[in-house]
Structures are given as C-alpha cells and as structure tokens.
Amino acid sequence: MHPPMCSRAALGVLLALHAASGAPPNLIVALVDDLGGYNVPWRNPEQHGARLKEFVETEGVQLERFYTYQFCSPTRCSLLSGRLPHHVNEYNSGTYEDLKGGIHPDMTILPAKLKLKNYSTAMIGKGHIGARSAAFLPINRGFDHHLGFLGGGEDHNTQINGNYVDLWLNDAPAYGRNGTLNSCYLYGGDAVDQIMQHDMNAPFFMYLAYQNVHEPYEPLPEYIDPSIPSPRRAINAMMSCVADSTMNITDALKARGMWDNTLMIWSSDNGGPQYWQGNNYPLRGGKS
C-alpha cells in the first residue's frame, strides 16, 4: 500500500553512515499525506515526476513490505514517539476539539532525544499530533523550528480550516503568511530554506510532513496535465509538485555538502483513500 520507507534497514544505514564519516548523520523524514502506493512515478507510468523516479530507482531502497496505521494521526504519533499506536494514540478526529488525540506531553519524542545528541531540529507542514494546549506545540516538544498547521487538514491555498486560520510559526500564529502560497510551495520552500540556513557544526533532523496529496484537491495550475482524465488529474498534479519539491530538497542537501552523510526516509502516512482519488493498485486496502 505504501511507497518505500526505512525501518530496521534504516538503522543499519544510519550506523554505516556514522561509522564511515565519524559524524552523526543528518536525518530527513518526509511524509506525503494520503498518498497511494500506485500514485508514484516509479510504479504508475501516468504519474509525472521523472527526476524522482530516477532518484528512487538509482539511489534509493524501496521497502515493499512496510506498514503504517490505517489513518493519519496515529501514524504520525507513532513515528515521532517510537510507540505503537495502541500505546500512544488511536484517535484521528480534530485535534483542537478532541481532548483525546495526540502525543501526551509526558512522552519524550524523537526530536527531544536528538537534541541530547546536539542535533538541530525542524518540523514543517502538517501536525495532527495534538493541539489542545501550548504543551503540544512542536516548538515545545524538541523542535527548534516549526512552520505548519496543527490540525488534520485545511485549504491548501488559504490555510483556513472551517472558520479559522491554522498556520503556526514556532510559538505563535504565522501572521501574514497564510494565503501567500500553496501548501506545496510553502512547506517545500521552507524545508529548502532550513537546509540552506543550517549551521554545519551540528547534525540536522528535519521532519517534513507535506499536506499534499490530502483533500481538498487544489492542484497548482502549472502542474495540471489536461491529457489525464478527471478525477485522476488533480492528484497527479499534486503529486507532481511533491516530486519536484523532494528533488529541490536533495539538491539543497547536495549544494550544502550534506547529502553524503544524510539518511532520507520518504513515505505515505496511511496509503490512499479509494473513496477520494488514492490508488493502491494492486492491493485492495487503503485509508479507512
């Protein structure tokens, strides 16, 4: 159901990188929201993203039997806490209104652990790991930098969820930033900025949680291919933007001389929802 992501194999690569360089490796974890296993260019010939396809096939390792939770928030909470969803969070409703969801503040999560090893840490994009008090803000969980939204979904262009703006910069609303860029450009651009501004004296951890390709389907016009039938056209365009954004990040890492000591993990959070536009062919399951 899911595009490749590293698990135990990642640990082996991590240790090898450390042993080879003598320096702790940089870690990049990218999640693509609601992406189906067949919505990627190295599996689906209709999907644009030639550079990403070549990159995965020549430089990446595809994990074909990797599993996540059946929907969003538990996957994210599990990833950052190191706990199975049953032991951290199995709720997926709105994190502002629901007092049950998210990672409990008493739990120490990955960035806080990495800070003990002198890592510089950044979180960009979708949260959905709790929002009912300031204690849940990523900046208070071990991240040095945070730009993103705390809920589970919103408009890609205005950053409005219902009747409020959900866009935060560190410990306060990101005043003046909402409505300026589509989410793919907003978060992908900030990821590149964080790499280019990184202090090379410290190892770097970045958790990039793309809002694409979650509904509402609001693709950028420059990525729309009119030859692809609707409704596949919208998700194809949104994934094409993620493909370019991913390559922008690898280009930035190479430009800074960081790439050879970097482990990048790229995955969907829960597979594609067939009731929208997700495609998990040849598997039958999907987001529930």
Side-chain angles (χ1 to χ4, degrees), residues 3 9 35 64 80 88 125 127 138 154 196 237 245 278 288:
L35 182 68
E64 302 289 353
L80 290 175
V88 56
E154 60 186 10
M196 299 307 292
S245 176
S288 65

Side-chain angles (χ1 to χ4, degrees), residues 54-136:
E54 180 182 8
F55 170 75
V56 169
E57 292 176 343
T58 60
E59 298 190 49
V61 176
Q62 299 183 51
L63 302 186
E64 302 289 353
R65 295 187 63 84
F66 166 78
Y67 301 92
T68 67
Y69 203 75
Q70 60 190 325
F71 44 74
C72 176
S73 183
T75 291
R76 297 161 193 273
C77 293
S78 182
L79 171 66
L80 290 175
S81 70
R83 294 169 169 85
L84 292 172
H86 178 71
H87 295 293
V88 56
N89 173 44
E90 291 184 285
Y91 293 94
N92 202 54
S93 52
T95 50
Y96 284 111
E97 299 81 13
D98 188 344
L99 298 181
K100 300 175 182 177
I103 306 173
H104 195 281
D106 288 347
M107 294 182 178
T108 303
I109 66 174
L110 179 59
K113 287 291 188 181
L114 290 174
K115 291 294 293 178
L116 299 177
K117 296 298 183 180
N118 197 39
Y119 272 78
S120 173
T121 59
M123 176 175 167
I124 301 166
K126 178 173 175 174
H128 217 182
I129 56 173
R132 61 184 179 266
S133 74
F136 286 85

Side-chain angles (χ1 to χ4, degrees), residues 5-280:
M5 182 172 174
C6 298
S7 53
R8 293 181 184 176
L11 180 59
V13 174
L14 197 66
L15 294 174
L17 282 171
H18 193 178
S21 68
N26 306 301
L27 307 174
I28 309 294
V29 178
L31 287 189
V32 186
D33 202 357
D34 279 5
L35 182 68
Y38 198 66
N39 292 126
V40 291
W42 58 93
R43 292 179 180 166
N44 184 349
E46 186 180 71
Q47 176 61 56
H48 298 299
R51 281 195 69 203
L52 180 61
K53 178 178 184 293
E54 180 182 8
F55 170 75
V56 169
E57 292 176 343
T58 60
E59 298 190 49
V61 176
Q62 299 183 51
L63 302 186
E64 302 289 353
R65 295 187 63 84
F66 166 78
Y67 301 92
T68 67
Y69 203 75
Q70 60 190 325
F71 44 74
C72 176
S73 183
T75 291
R76 297 161 193 273
C77 293
S78 182
L79 171 66
L80 290 175
S81 70
R83 294 169 169 85
L84 292 172
H86 178 71
H87 295 293
V88 56
N89 173 44
E90 291 184 285
Y91 293 94
N92 202 54
S93 52
T95 50
Y96 284 111
E97 299 81 13
D98 188 344
L99 298 181
K100 300 175 182 177
I103 306 173
H104 195 281
D106 288 347
M107 294 182 178
T108 303
I109 66 174
L110 179 59
K113 287 291 188 181
L114 290 174
K115 291 294 293 178
L116 299 177
K117 296 298 183 180
N118 197 39
Y119 272 78
S120 173
T121 59
M123 176 175 167
I124 301 166
K126 178 173 175 174
H128 217 182
I129 56 173
R132 61 184 179 266
S133 74
F136 286 85
L137 290 174
I139 201 72
N140 294 325
R141 307 301 300 267
F143 286 105
D144 298 317
H145 168 82
H146 169 238
L147 174 68
F149 63 105
L150 303 181
E154 60 186 10
D155 188 282
H156 286 269
N157 296 308
T158 66
Q159 289 75 52
I160 292 175
N161 179 6
N163 59 0
Y164 55 84
V165 173
D166 184 4
L167 185 64
W168 289 74
L169 177 61
N170 298 329
D171 60 353
Y175 294 109
R177 297 287 295 270
N178 70 291
T180 60
L181 288 171
N182 178 274
S183 67
C184 186
Y185 286 168
L186 179 65
Y187 301 133
D190 190 57
V192 170
D193 288 344
Q194 294 306 308
I195 293 167
M196 299 307 292
Q197 298 166 12
H198 172 61
D199 180 353
M200 298 291 283
N201 292 315
F204 182 54
F205 168 60
M206 180 170 68
Y207 171 48
L208 171 59
Y210 286 102
Q211 186 180 353
N212 280 18
V213 295
H214 196 287
E215 61 81 36
Y217 293 109
E218 298 170 323
L220 289 157
E222 56 265 38
Y223 284 102
I224 294 174
D225 181 350
S227 70
I228 296 175
S230 181
R232 299 197 305 273
R233 185 183 306 151
I235 197 170
N236 182 291
M238 293 173 76
M239 176 55 212
S240 296
C241 186
V242 171
D244 280 355
S245 176
T246 301
M247 298 316 300
N248 290 341
I249 289 165
T250 62
D251 288 345
L253 290 165
K254 292 174 181 178
R256 292 296 313 278
M258 299 167 64
W259 178 249
D260 288 342
N261 194 38
T262 293
L263 172 66
M264 184 173 187
I265 302 171
W266 193 97
S267 176
S268 174
D269 60 341
N270 46 235
Q274 304 97 315
Y275 45 86
W276 289 331
Q277 297 179 23
N279 189 338
N280 302 302

